[in-house]
Amino acid sequence: MDFNLVISTGRRLEGRCADELRYIGDLIGMRIAQTSFTGFDGLITGYVDGDPVEFTRKLKDLVTTGRYIPRFVLKVVPIMRTVNTKMEDIAKAAIELANRYLSTNETYKVEVRKRGVDLDRMEIIDSIASKISNKVKLENPDKVIQLEIFPSRTGISVIREDDIFSLMKVSVGSQQGGQ
């Protein structure tokens, strides 16, 4: 189960969310190759052909211009790499991505979303932060090391906070003077 998107929806709406995600992919010209139910209510994963960060930016643009407002896709987190859900694999991949995507003077924080696993959140954060020389900043960091942890696979990204699409945080039709 490899994925580069983690999508939140309402409980028991996962199928409609997957259909809507494919429709959105068609609208913005980025094909959704697959979607999978995670086993957790209101949460699916997807795989978009292309850059997942570009997908969330185009989705945000679609909503802010008022061209399409999702009914079932509530939040989309872009994923840069997936690894087995093992502490060493997660830390190694997160550090590699941080070294690639964090500039010397950029601040960061580690955001952990874990589901159905018995890993200690602080232990995960320490295993990553102890190997990164950049300053940690919990409020408004330049980048977020985002960990989406599931029982068998973990998705990791180093992104800006606003690279995550959240319908609740987007001003619908704001570029048309509001609706």
Side-chain angles (χ1 to χ4, degrees):
M1 164 184 93
D2 263 0
F3 55 92
N4 61 9
L5 301 172
V6 175
I7 307 99
S8 302
T9 187
R11 287 179 65 154
R12 298 190 185 93
L13 296 174
E14 298 86 2
R16 290 180 180 178
C17 178
D19 291 343
E20 184 174 60
L21 189 70
R22 283 189 282 278
Y23 177 73
I24 290 168
D26 291 344
L27 282 178
I28 61 180
M30 295 182 79
R31 185 177 84 90
I32 301 295
Q34 73 175 44
T35 58
S36 301
F37 179 55
T38 61
F40 298 93
D41 285 340
L43 206 57
I44 64 173
T45 56
Y47 193 89
V48 62
D49 288 339
D51 181 353
V53 175
E54 183 184 346
F55 179 87
T56 59
R57 288 177 183 160
K58 285 183 173 185
L59 173 54
K60 196 175 291 186
D61 185 55
L62 197 65
V63 175
T64 56
T65 58
R67 293 194 332 253
Y68 183 77
I69 292 50
R71 290 184 52 210
F72 305 106
V73 173
L74 302 180
K75 184 176 178 184
V76 182
V77 179
I79 300 298
M80 295 174 160
R81 185 182 300 172
T82 57
V83 297
N84 287 324
T85 298
K86 293 183 186 141
M87 182 76 79
E88 317 78 58
D89 294 355
I90 295 168
K92 182 175 184 251
I95 293 161
E96 285 173 8
L97 285 172
N99 287 337
R100 187 179 317 158
Y101 292 103
L102 269 180
S103 302
T104 315
N105 57 347
E106 285 184 311
T107 59
Y108 77 98
K109 74 174 177 180
V110 179
E111 188 69 49
V112 178
R113 298 268 183 261
K114 63 189 185 95
R115 300 147 184 108
V117 294
D118 195 23
L119 295 174
D120 182 78
R121 185 178 168 280
M122 284 313 298
E123 201 177 315
I124 296 166
I125 292 170
D126 290 343
S127 71
I128 296 166
S130 64
K131 307 267 190 317
I132 298 172
S133 58
N134 296 53
K135 276 195 171 134
V136 172
K137 185 177 174 193
L138 300 179
E139 295 293 319
N140 301 317
D142 296 313
K143 298 268 176 69
V144 177
I145 299 173
Q146 185 78 30
L147 306 176
E148 297 286 337
I149 304 174
F150 295 98
S152 62
R153 300 291 284 169
T154 294
I156 305 165
S157 291
V158 178
I159 53 179
R160 295 190 331 258
E161 281 184 298
D162 66 355
D163 286 334
I164 295 173
F165 170 81
S166 173
L167 189 58
M168 300 296 285
K169 294 180 180 175
V170 174
S171 299
V172 176
S174 62
Q175 293 178 357
Q176 293 182 338
Q179 288 183 341

